[in-house]
Each structure stands twice: as C-alpha cells, then as structure tokens.
C-alpha cells in the first residue's frame, strides 16, 4: 500500500492524525502527525475471584430425634401412693426387718430405704416395683 501523504510504497504504515484527519502514512511521514497508539493498553486482568465453595462446611443440623414418650417400660399411669414411706416402714416392721436388712433384700443402700421411709425421695418405678414384689406391699397405684 502507499503512504497517503507521500505516496511511497510501504509494507508497514503508521496511523497518524494530521490536522484532525486519520491517515495511514509511512515511517517518514509519521512525524508530521500525531501517531495513534494502536497498541491497546495492557488489559488489566481482573483478579479471578475464586469463590470458595463453602458448601462442604455448612453444618447440616441433624434431623430431630423422635421424641419418646417415656424411656421407662413401666406404665406411666402408675404413681406412688401418697403415704408410700409410711407403707414401706409399716410393712418392714411387720416383716421384722431393720432398714439395713430390708436394704440387703432389695439390694439397695440402707440410706435409700431410710429416705424412702421418710419420703425424702421417691423411689423410681423400678425400685418401687421391686419393693412391692419383695415386701408384698402396694405403694404404686393406677392413676385414672
Ligand atoms: Zn510518506
């Protein structure tokens, strides 16, 4: 192609602005105009945002456990009678047993027997059933 200014054949041209007109000129003529920087400015590469997939770290709450009405295998309708302590004490004395002897029979601690008789603590149903069975006394009653 030819220089648009001097007509010289050129294999490479410069694109310059001369008097507001863009022209393709040879190397020598380029100085007459303002060369357009054809080189694109280095593209600023956006830093690649490595989106951290945090899916692996999401704590999935465990499914709620099914609520059991009672872990006891004893019917919930059985409740200690009001005077269970007196009943135990009375029956124990009828049997001629000391608290310690009764404790041995029940394979419980003497302290527990004393507290049950004073009604300071309520025996759990399992113990209450054991007392009923071994002593032949009713301390549980059905609650309607
Ligand atoms: Zn030229």
């Amino acid at each position: 192609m030819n220089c648009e200014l001097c007509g010289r054949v050129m294999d490479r041209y410069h694109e310059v602005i001369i008097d507001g007109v863009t022209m393709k000129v040879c190397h020598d003529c380029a100085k007459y105009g303002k060369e357009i920087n054809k080189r694109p400015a280095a593209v600023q590469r956006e830093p690649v945002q490595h989106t951290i997939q945090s899916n692996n770290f999401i704590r999935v709450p465990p499914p709620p456990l099914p609520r059991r009405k009672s872990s006891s295998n004893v019917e919930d309708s059985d409740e200690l009678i009001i005077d269970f302590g007196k009943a135990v004490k009375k029956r124990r004395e009828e049997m001629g047993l000391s608290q310690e002897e009764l404790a041995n029979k029940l394979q419980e601690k003497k302290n527990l027997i004393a507290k049950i008789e004073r009604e300071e603590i309520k025996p759990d149903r399992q113990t209450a059933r054991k007392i009923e069975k071994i002593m032949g006394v009713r301390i549980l009653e059905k609650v309607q």
Side-chain angles (χ1 to χ4, degrees), residues 108-131:
E108 298 288 350
K109 288 191 167 68
K110 180 196 168 190
N111 194 34
L112 178 71
I113 304 301
K115 285 184 174 179
I116 289 172
E117 289 189 358
R118 291 198 297 268
E119 294 174 13
E120 288 178 13
I121 61 167
K122 290 183 176 181
D124 57 41
R125 288 198 178 82
Q126 202 174 352
T127 304
R129 293 228 169 224
K130 192 163 62 177
I131 290 171

Side-chain angles (χ1 to χ4, degrees), residues 3-8 10 25-30:
C3 172
E4 290 178 5
L5 208 58
C6 67
R8 197 161 64 182
M10 58 186 183
V25 298
C26 67
H27 179 74
D28 289 338
C29 297

Side-chain angles (χ1 to χ4, degrees), residues 62-113:
L65 292 171
R67 287 185 68 117
R68 292 185 179 184
K69 287 192 74 175
S70 174
S71 60
S72 171
N73 56 0
V74 180
E75 298 87 349
D76 285 333
S77 57
D78 285 349
E79 290 291 341
L80 285 169
I81 63 172
I82 294 170
D83 291 329
F84 67 92
K86 284 179 190 170
V88 169
K89 187 174 193 294
K90 182 167 176 274
R91 181 62 185 148
R92 176 177 62 76
E93 289 170 350
E94 286 172 2
M95 294 168 77
L97 296 172
S98 67
Q99 286 183 344
E100 192 165 7
E101 287 167 336
L102 177 62
N104 289 336
K105 265 185 173 296
L106 297 173
Q107 295 179 308
E108 298 288 350
K109 288 191 167 68
K110 180 196 168 190
N111 194 34
L112 178 71
I113 304 301

